[in-house]
Amino acid sequence: MVADTAVFQVRGACPHDCPDTCALLTTVQQGIAIKVQGNPAHPHTAGSLCAKVSRYTERTYHPERILQPLKRVGPKGAGQFEPVSWDAALTEIAARLQSIAARDPQAILPYSYAGTMGLVQGESMAARFFNQLGASQLERTICAAAGGEGLVHTLGGKLGMRVEFFAQAKLILIWGSNSIASNLHFWRYANEAKRQGAKLVCIDPRQSETADKCHEHIALLPGTDGALALGLMHELIAHDWLDHDYLERYTLGWSQLRARALQWPPERVAAVCGLTVAQVVGLARDFGACVQAAPMGEHSGANGSAAIRMNYGMQRVHGGGNAVRLVASLPALIGAWRQRSGGVLLSSSGTFPVQKASLQRPDLLAGRSPRTLNMVTLGDDLLRPASPAFGPAIEALVVYNSNPVAVAPDSGRVVSGIARPDLFTVVLEHFQTDTADYADFILPATTQLEHWDVHSSYGHTDVLLNRPAIAPVGQAKPNTQIFRELAQRMGFDAPCFQDTDEALCRQAFGQTVDFDALLETGFVTLVTPEARFAQGNFPTPSGKCEFFSDRLAAQGLDGLPDHVPNHEAAHSSAIYPLAMISPPARNFLNSTFVNVKSLRDIEGQPLLEIHPTDAAARGIETGHTVRVFNVRGAHHCVAQVTERARPGVVHGLGIWWRKLGLDGTNVNQLTSQRLTDLGHGPTFYDCAVQVQAAQDRQDLRQP
Ligand SMILES: Nc1nc2c(c(=O)[nH]1)N[C@H]1C(S)=C(S)[C@@H](COP(=O)(O)OP(=O)(O)OC[C@H]3O[C@@H](n4cnc5c(=O)[nH]c(N)nc54)[C@H](O)[C@@H]3O)O[C@H]1N2
Ligand SMILES: Nc1nc2c(c(=O)[nH]1)N[C@H]1C(S)=C(S)[C@@H](COP(=O)(O)OP(=O)(O)OC[C@H]3O[C@@H](n4cnc5c(=O)[nH]c(N)nc54)[C@H](O)[C@@H]3O)O[C@H]1N2
Ligand SMILES: [Mo]
């Protein structure tokens, strides 16, 4: 036992949706967390945290944190609630869910994403609960689905280079990623390579903080990455910068891909991407210089390696899946995989042997196969009446680990749907978010400092354990406990509803990870090959890097990747001529932290970055309030006239809480519910808009 007055440190894991998955050390004094730091013993974290998580105590003890169950007393959306007891809240919620389920449990929809990436506070007890209930299933595709599918159909899984070996590359392409903002601990390795003489190239429509620090910035038009990759292939072929041995042994469909790439000379690519021919040719020359010449099948290693850090920014467009397939194909052409410091990394999540079925218990469905609804189309689905094709109308929505009113596309539709007076909505949250404003009940959830969890990562290959550092604040309970207690009130008596959080942590990896070691040090590195695909061994059906995918062809799709243009490309509409992308803000994590004042003060206000030429044509100057609009709606924000934007493209930064913006909306008022080519993902960055100087700022909140 530790005396109350003692100061001690507890090892944990950062729960946020970020590739870095940092190891935390929380200092606790008299039961209060006084400091959250990076664990210096964890190599990837190396003792440093981002600005957001180093202020975690400010969020945990925030005066607006929800500390007791709340029941709605005003109209939906007005945000008026009164405290109720846990018992009263859970009893009423269980009764409502039971009466809906008696008609059709598919009328109940769980809605969750990555508020915490923890395997236990994410989909364990919650999944068991909804499986037992027979509720609608949720297709959780709002982030990474198109790119994930692209990887699976090319490399065979969400696998790639080990992040630490980027430090030894000679050329690093940072493709669709603002690493300094969203993947800081990768940037550390890239910077090390830079110091050793590597060339860094950023491929991004926006001149991001990362682009500022690279040797070259290729500002292509949004959604044209596939065309650029095909153009690089064209030049590699034209100059024979190819590793023929690697292509022959370890790839499938090269002759077909070759024929397609030859249709993409640099002039065509430059026109589609909005670049110069010299930019396309120059990038190909840099990449081609890293070819691993291997005439006798022996790897000479004479040339330096090319490493590509892709991120999910490039796949939130119509052709995002195909674009990822094309970029993921590039390393094989030059044999980059032969070296551990060559290849591509988009996600490492497929490395982890997560025992999903143990955690989520699909067997509780007992032969039922409820419908699946896509989280991206929540707006339309909430407004859909019952029909034979759709099934029952949604009567109840249970939200945890997500803030759909802020983060889902086409938020005008989401708001209309969630405001339906007949919809029963329960939100498990830390704060009264835009979504919680529409709840019938808000249930207070614990934060990472208050509960157990275990984490995989999508940016490195370590498993991390999170031990609670402090007791739950107020009456907050872990998500798991809330679903356990609801299960009990619903009469779900399977023994798995009794599993403790610590037991769930053990089940997450079963025997595949040494849990005692995790308890001891807080993290365990998985054993993985240094150069995973040096001798092929791709986990695809053919065992090769699949340029051509029989699996996709069997689905009636193009077996070969191609450039798939945006639905709403720049200049494709005379009424809405500007392409808007809405990448993450550095000091927010999606819509999390927007209510932490010190971080919000750094971001200032919801901004629209616009190029001087586009601004001048509209009489807009920095600091002006602008109205950004399209067929889906209008959103007011503050103009920042800057060459960070290229002509024809504007940037609506960060996912603000609607109620903390200028007019009660955010950028998602403008984005569409259309899905990607592969994986049923969102197309947030495939969005045409017009911009005009706004009228008087005082009137913005008037109807
Ligand atoms: N600080 C911070 N960190 C975060 C997040 C956050 O909100 N804030 N979000 C987290 C989440 S949810 C995720 S999924 C991960 C990864 O998150 P990502 O969304 O991949 O984040 P970024 O790395 O910022 O990559 C987005 C970059 O892609 C660029 N981009 C937009 N459209 C295109 C395009 O068509 N082509 C190309 N080449 N680039 C394009 C944007 O300008 C931006 O610089 O990061 C996580 N980390
Ligand atoms: N326009 C535009 N929209 C986007 C994006 C974009 O780039 N542009 N990015 C998209 C991407 S990549 C993603 S991943 C999604 C993210 O969408 P979400 O996963 O919904 O992310 P957040 O906005 O961070 O909301 C998470 C919520 O979970 C809560 N939470 C955290 N931990 C817990 C917990 O333990 N229990 C409970 N009950 N709640 C918890 C937090 O308080 C927070 O309000 O947004 C997408 N939306
Ligand atoms: Mo994401």
Side-chain angles (χ1 to χ4, degrees):
M1 284 303 288
V2 186
D4 242 11
T5 51
V7 177
F8 57 97
Q9 288 190 317
V10 180
R11 279 189 286 267
C14 176
H16 288 294
D17 187 349
C18 167
D20 293 16
T21 321
C22 291
L24 306 182
L25 276 184
T26 302
T27 307
V28 182
Q29 184 176 30
Q30 292 185 313
I32 306 281
I34 56 171
K35 192 172 186 185
V36 177
Q37 307 160 258
N39 183 349
H42 182 241
H44 298 300
T45 307
S48 71
L49 295 178
C50 64
K52 304 176 289 299
V53 178
S54 35
R55 294 173 201 228
Y56 217 70
T57 55
E58 204 180 320
R59 185 172 187 277
T60 302
Y61 298 114
H62 195 295
E64 287 161 12
R65 186 138 167 228
I66 294 167
L67 298 176
Q68 52 193 330
L70 299 174
K71 183 177 176 168
R72 178 169 65 87
V73 289
K76 290 231 172 178
Q80 293 155 10
F81 295 88
E82 68 180 17
V84 286
S85 69
W86 269 110
D87 186 54
L90 293 176
T91 304
E92 192 175 333
I93 293 166
R96 284 293 293 267
L97 295 182
Q98 253 162 344
S99 80
I100 296 169
R103 293 191 299 278
D104 187 342
Q106 297 178 103
I108 300 167
L109 179 68
Y111 196 97
S112 71
Y113 201 64
T116 167
M117 296 286 287
L119 296 168
V120 171
Q121 302 307 334
E123 306 309 321
S124 69
M125 209 44 92
R128 293 176 184 186
F129 178 84
F130 291 109
N131 282 337
Q132 172 80 58
L133 187 59
S136 285
Q137 304 272 316
L138 185 71
E139 200 168 34
R140 291 182 171 79
T141 53
I142 201 162
C143 171
E149 281 289 287
L151 280 190
V152 166
H153 289 294
T154 309
L155 306 179
K158 291 184 169 187
L159 299 167
M161 280 181 64
R162 269 166 47 183
V163 64
E164 58 271 33
F165 297 136
F166 276 86
Q168 296 152 16
K170 279 284 164 272
L171 173 71
I172 301 182
L173 308 186
I174 300 182
W175 202 321
S177 171
N178 182 8
S179 313
I180 292 180
S182 70
N183 191 187
L184 190 61
H185 294 77
F186 154 77
W187 178 251
R188 209 165 54 84
Y189 295 120
N191 227 355
E192 204 175 311
K194 192 180 172 189
R195 280 196 300 273
Q196 310 279 334
K199 178 168 182 182
L200 271 53
V201 182
C202 181
I203 304 173
D204 194 315
R206 173 171 188 251
Q207 188 191 323
S208 62
E209 300 91 314
T210 308
D212 288 341
K213 297 270 162 57
C214 288
H215 298 99
E216 192 178 345
H217 174 213
I218 309 253
L220 78 187
L221 287 166
T224 63
D225 302 272
L228 181 59
L230 283 162
L232 298 185
M233 291 179 189
H234 180 282
E235 291 301 284
L236 297 177
I237 296 165
H239 298 275
D240 198 27
W241 293 322
L242 296 169
D243 186 331
H244 293 281
D245 178 67
Y246 195 93
L247 283 167
E248 260 159 53
R249 289 190 201 213
Y250 305 130
T251 70
L252 184 77
W254 170 235
S255 61
Q256 291 123 300
L257 181 63
R258 186 177 182 282
R260 182 159 288 174
L262 287 175
Q263 296 164 21
W264 287 88
E267 295 72 22
R268 181 181 178 198
V269 174
V272 168
C273 299
L275 299 172
T276 63
V277 171
Q279 283 176 303
V280 178
V281 172
L283 184 62
R285 192 184 312 113
D286 286 342
F287 195 71
C290 297
V291 66
Q292 303 295 306
M296 308 301 291
E298 291 298 317
H299 164 228
S300 71
N303 299 333
S305 55
I308 305 175
R309 181 61 168 113
M310 262 197 272
N311 215 331
Y312 287 111
M314 62 168 290
Q315 48 100 64
R316 297 188 185 110
V317 291
H318 180 201
N322 268 273
V324 167
R325 289 200 67 206
L326 285 162
V327 178
S329 295
L330 282 169
L333 272 70
I334 60 164
W337 292 113
R338 291 184 191 270
Q339 294 192 45
R340 65 183 189 178
S341 56
V344 55
L345 174 63
L346 171 57
S347 170
S348 59
S349 64
T351 319
F352 294 84
V354 179
Q355 310 293 299
K356 206 170 152 188
S358 305
L359 287 176
Q360 304 186 356
R361 300 293 303 270
D363 55 297
L364 295 169
L365 283 167
R368 297 166 295 176
S369 39
R371 70 172 168 194
T372 299
L373 299 180
N374 187 297
M375 68 188 300
V376 177
T377 56
L378 180 70
D380 281 350
D381 289 344
L382 283 174
L383 293 167
R384 244 184 258 282
S387 74
F390 181 63
I394 300 171
E395 292 181 55
L397 183 67
V398 182
V399 181
Y400 53 101
N401 301 340
S402 187
N403 183 10
V405 170
V407 306
D410 201 353
S411 30
R413 298 280 290 170
V414 179
V415 168
S416 305
I418 204 167
R420 269 173 42 203
D422 60 327
L423 180 74
F424 180 64
T425 301
V426 179
V427 177
L428 285 62
E429 251 302 348
H430 301 150
F431 292 104
Q432 197 173 322
T433 59
D434 290 331
T435 305
D437 278 343
Y438 289 89
D440 292 280
F441 283 96
I442 310 177
L443 302 178
T446 46
T447 70
Q448 188 79 342
L449 300 189
E450 301 149 63
H451 55 226
W452 281 93
D453 219 324
V454 68
H455 290 254
S456 60
S457 169
Y458 59 100
H460 59 65
T461 47
D462 297 349
V463 173
L464 278 80
L465 182 72
N466 183 72
R467 286 172 182 267
I470 55 172
V473 178
Q475 297 178 30
K477 297 181 194 242
N479 292 342
T480 44
Q481 182 60 18
I482 298 173
F483 284 107
R484 249 180 230 117
E485 293 184 22
L486 266 180
Q488 192 210 339
R489 280 180 176 70
M490 305 276 289
F492 298 167
D493 53 11
C496 70
F497 288 107
Q498 306 293 326
D499 289 348
T500 64
D501 284 6
E502 204 185 324
L504 290 166
C505 285
R506 286 177 185 272
Q507 289 166 22
F509 291 98
Q511 298 304 311
T512 63
V513 166
D514 182 349
F515 200 77
D516 292 331
L518 262 186
L519 283 169
E520 181 72 22
T521 58
F523 58 90
V524 166
T525 301
L526 298 175
V527 180
T528 54
E530 289 202 341
R532 179 180 282 274
F533 303 133
Q535 270 102 39
N537 295 318
F538 292 90
T540 53
S542 65
K544 297 183 171 184
C545 176
E546 295 197 346
F547 300 144
F548 187 91
S549 165
D550 285 323
R551 286 181 294 180
L552 290 177
Q555 291 172 36
L557 299 170
D558 193 346
L560 207 59
D562 204 351
H563 169 58
V564 177
N566 275 9
H567 290 296
E568 303 184 9
H571 311 301
S572 64
S573 151
I575 320 172
Y576 307 116
L578 299 169
M580 184 189 79
I581 58 173
S582 46
R586 182 169 183 177
N587 295 289
F588 303 151
L589 198 299
N590 300 322
S591 77
T592 303
F593 296 105
V594 180
N595 63 327
V596 175
K597 191 168 178 307
S598 65
L599 293 168
R600 188 169 73 247
D601 286 347
I602 306 174
E603 292 296 331
Q605 289 178 301
L607 292 181
L608 188 82
E609 293 180 340
I610 182 167
H611 186 270
T613 312
D614 290 327
R618 292 165 176 78
I620 293 167
E621 290 170 22
T622 291
H624 281 176
T625 300
V626 287
R627 179 171 177 266
V628 192
F629 60 101
N630 62 18
V631 281
R632 291 174 288 271
H635 163 62
H636 289 88
C637 54
V638 177
Q640 177 104 47
V641 180
T642 169
E643 296 201 348
R644 289 196 180 283
R646 52 161 297 153
V649 181
V650 293
H651 315 144
L653 295 179
I655 318 184
W656 280 73
W657 283 18
R658 290 163 61 91
K659 58 183 165 189
L660 296 177
L662 300 187
D663 66 351
T665 67
N666 71 12
V667 278
N668 279 323
Q669 198 75 10
L670 306 165
T671 53
S672 96
Q673 295 177 68
R674 283 201 203 95
L675 302 180
T676 48
D677 53 347
L678 297 175
H680 308 166
T683 54
F684 290 112
Y685 302 169
D686 187 339
C687 178
V689 299
Q690 180 57 292
V691 180
Q692 62 182 201
Q695 314 308 325
D696 190 352
R697 188 128 162 218
Q698 307 310 320
D699 299 333
L700 292 179
R701 276 177 186 274
Q702 309 298 315

